Amino acid sequence: MSELTHIELFAGCGGMSLGLETAGFDLLFANELSPMAGETFAYNILGENLERKSELGEKANNTLWIKSNYAQDNLKDRLRENPFETAKGKYSDLDAKTDLNGKLLIGNIDYFLEFLNKNNKIVNQLKKKNVDLISGGPPCQSFSLAGKREKNNEKNQLPLSFSKLAGLIQPKIVLLENVKGITAPFTENGEKYYAWLEVCKAFVLEGFVPVCMMLNSKYFGVPQNRPRFILMAYRKDIFNKILKKNNKNEILKNSDKFYKIVSENINSLEKITIKDFNYYDIESNPELFDGLVLPKMTYSLDDFISTSEAIGDILRADIQYDINKTAGKYATSLNNIFSKNTLEDFSKIKNHEPRNHNPIIRSRFRFYQVIEQFQNGLKKGATDLFSGKKVSPDVLAKLNVEFSQHKLLFIKDKGEISKYPRNLEEVEVLMKSIPTKKHSQRALKEFGPAPAQLTVPDDLCHYHSEQPRTLTVREMARFQSFPDWFEFRSKVTTGGKMRKFQVPQYTQVGNAVPPLLAKSLGEVLKKQLKLIE
């Protein structure tokens, strides 16, 4: 079929774009708020090394700033700019003659909307392209159409900006990804709302018919238990063609019914509730995920990719590994599925540098590794003991036996020694010497999928006894199904007040859409477009 095109909003570091490209969608242009995430996107998706250009004092070619406080030739400061402080920025790389094709636009989507509203010629040019897909993942958890008149939480209105931009350009399909929390109700001005339903209404108002689902990345070859809400919204004329080809499909018929309800009640949208529409959960109705309307499951309970399969071949973080020369079948398959776009030498696996841990942290991580192996409620007993809670004599006796079979790291002379504890009292003394206020820390399970990826690097530690450490950026990227050639750029981590606006490598990975999931989503959309071509 003819070349498919897509526009990526809220692009992050490029996980969605990489997957969609592999599925057959060519990127028209992308938009991302963070210059730090944008640096990774530009490097891997567009082949532009912004760090090198900044060092040479050169301007970016394919990366444009919508608004900035710094001039175009000051790329170094642009790459570390706070994107929330650019409202009055006097510099912009966009004008009426700007060619958006193949570009990454850095900055607030609302500033881009302002630009488009002032440049009808560019909007008309985009409409003439009859763009196949606009995709992205705006924060949605507290979005409501009722709250759009309130200015106190700009982030909650980003889905509205997404829908308005889709309404301007009128692509054939919109693809929206979000966290599971979008399905939980929230209260605003005393009224209960469901953000996912409000988002659906917003897209109907722009002429799109929504189909919604709750997926989990582990069913698509991603070694991670990562539930995600997905919305596919079809332009009405495209939807009608798809429905005509699948006129007995109940999913499509329910979406068509919802579109009509919203269209007939534009002035009383609050009357439309979750009784009028629903989303499809892969856990409850796996049979519906057959590749016709909903994406096809490629993995099941018996063959999920495990933690050890994902990262066991790069166990040590103190040596360099050659790409495609490790024993990992999973990693090799990712490198084969996703083609390389970067211009740099990629013979070595990058982003696999370990973080420095003192003996206290290493000892604590070893403790987590040990109790992760405990069965029959003993893990809870050990956790309670660690946090100072009361534990029954029976559980204490069992813990005494269980701990005696595992080596722990004991702190000695500012160093550490690995040994079996003689008794539970010795374990308790050790635990008092490694206290923590963090209650979310835990070790990976070796033979199951990883838990949902977090953007804070020290919440998870490695599963292997020889590696009492946090995960490297590369290991987290493996859990997100990024190929080993995909290099994460900018700062590795950050802290303090800069957390509010900086998006370092760990956060880029944690926020990303897994490329394998994006590929599966792209493939089902491509199939539907091919059906009606």
Side-chain angles (χ1 to χ4, degrees), residues 142 307 382:
S142 300
T307 293

Side-chain angles (χ1 to χ4, degrees), residues 353-372:
E353 298 77 21
R355 301 182 71 210
N356 293 323
H357 299 315
N358 61 39
I360 291 176
I361 293 176
R362 287 171 53 83
S363 178
R364 188 188 307 138
F365 283 157
R366 177 56 190 152
F367 174 80
Y368 292 141
Q369 290 176 344
V370 167
I371 67 172
E372 190 60 55

Side-chain angles (χ1 to χ4, degrees), residues 26 37 55 67 82 84 93-94 137 140 230 246 314 345 363 365 370 372 384 390-391 418 446:
D26 282 351
E55 291 171 350
K67 279 187 180 184
N82 183 342
F84 300 108
D93 302 339
L94 305 184
C140 299
I230 300 294
N246 300 274
I314 51 172
D345 169 49
S363 178
F365 283 157
V370 167
E372 190 60 55
D384 288 345
K390 190 174 182 180
V391 181
S418 176
E446 184 174 357

Side-chain angles (χ1 to χ4, degrees), residues 58-59 65 68-78 81 90-93:
E58 298 177 359
K59 299 177 182 178
W65 266 253
S68 178
N69 294 304
Y70 303 100
Q72 200 170 18
D73 57 2
N74 189 354
L75 189 53
K76 184 176 181 180
D77 285 332
R78 281 187 165 192
E81 186 172 21
K90 61 180 181 179
Y91 299 101
S92 176
D93 302 339

Side-chain angles (χ1 to χ4, degrees), residues 121-345:
K121 184 178 179 181
I122 291 180
V123 174
N124 290 332
Q125 288 172 347
L126 290 171
K127 280 185 177 180
K128 287 180 181 178
K129 290 180 183 289
N130 200 16
V131 176
D132 292 291
L133 178 66
I134 291 182
S135 56
C140 299
Q141 287 87 309
S142 300
F143 171 70
S144 74
L145 288 168
K148 67 183 179 181
R149 290 176 293 277
E150 296 183 2
K151 305 292 185 182
N152 61 338
N153 196 335
E154 185 177 322
K155 180 183 282 190
N156 287 346
Q157 300 313 310
L158 290 175
L160 194 62
S161 303
F162 190 167
S163 65
K164 285 181 178 178
L165 201 147
L168 272 180
I169 298 173
Q170 286 293 306
K172 295 176 184 175
I173 306 174
V174 171
L175 172 62
L176 182 147
E177 180 263 1
N178 215 270
V179 297
K180 185 178 181 179
I182 190 177
T183 62
F186 69 95
T187 302
E188 183 177 274
N189 298 326
E191 297 290 333
K192 182 184 286 187
Y193 295 94
Y194 289 83
W196 73 270
L197 186 66
E198 297 293 301
V199 171
C200 291
K201 295 175 189 177
F203 278 102
V204 170
L205 297 179
E206 299 294 343
F208 296 88
V209 186
V211 173
C212 301
M213 66 205 81
M214 182 64 69
L215 304 181
N216 194 314
S217 298
K218 64 186 179 183
Y219 290 103
F220 300 91
V222 180
Q224 183 187 165
N225 183 32
R226 189 181 181 89
R228 280 300 184 269
F229 175 84
I230 300 294
L231 177 147
M232 296 173 174
Y234 303 82
R235 197 175 70 203
K236 190 61 169 70
D237 62 308
I238 298 297
F239 179 84
N240 289 344
K241 292 179 181 179
I242 295 174
L243 180 60
K244 188 175 182 180
K245 294 282 186 178
N246 300 274
N247 58 8
K248 293 183 179 180
N249 188 283
E250 290 299 320
I251 296 173
L252 296 177
K253 288 163 71 174
N254 288 336
S255 291
D256 192 38
K257 181 181 177 182
F258 177 74
Y259 181 89
K260 291 175 181 175
I261 291 173
V262 175
S263 300
E264 293 168 359
N265 293 275
I266 291 177
N267 296 320
S268 54
L269 293 174
E270 69 281 355
K271 294 180 180 179
I272 302 171
T273 69
I274 55 171
K275 294 179 181 179
D276 299 301
F277 200 40
N278 64 305
Y279 59 86
Y280 303 92
D281 194 328
I282 199 167
E283 304 286 355
S284 305
N285 298 105
E287 73 281 358
L288 297 177
F289 293 80
D290 54 9
L292 296 177
V293 176
L294 308 183
K296 185 176 180 60
M297 292 170 55
T298 53
Y299 284 77
S300 63
L301 289 171
D302 298 325
D303 58 3
F304 289 147
I305 306 295
S306 70
T307 293
S308 56
E309 288 177 291
I311 64 172
D313 60 319
I314 51 172
L315 189 65
R316 293 176 59 183
D318 57 341
I319 62 174
Q320 279 198 319
Y321 295 90
D322 293 324
I323 290 180
N324 281 336
K325 292 185 178 180
T326 67
K329 294 181 180 179
Y330 166 73
T332 301
S333 71
L334 293 180
N335 296 336
N336 291 334
I337 290 170
F338 300 110
S339 60
K340 171 184 169 289
N341 288 334
T342 53
L343 301 175
E344 309 296 319
D345 169 49

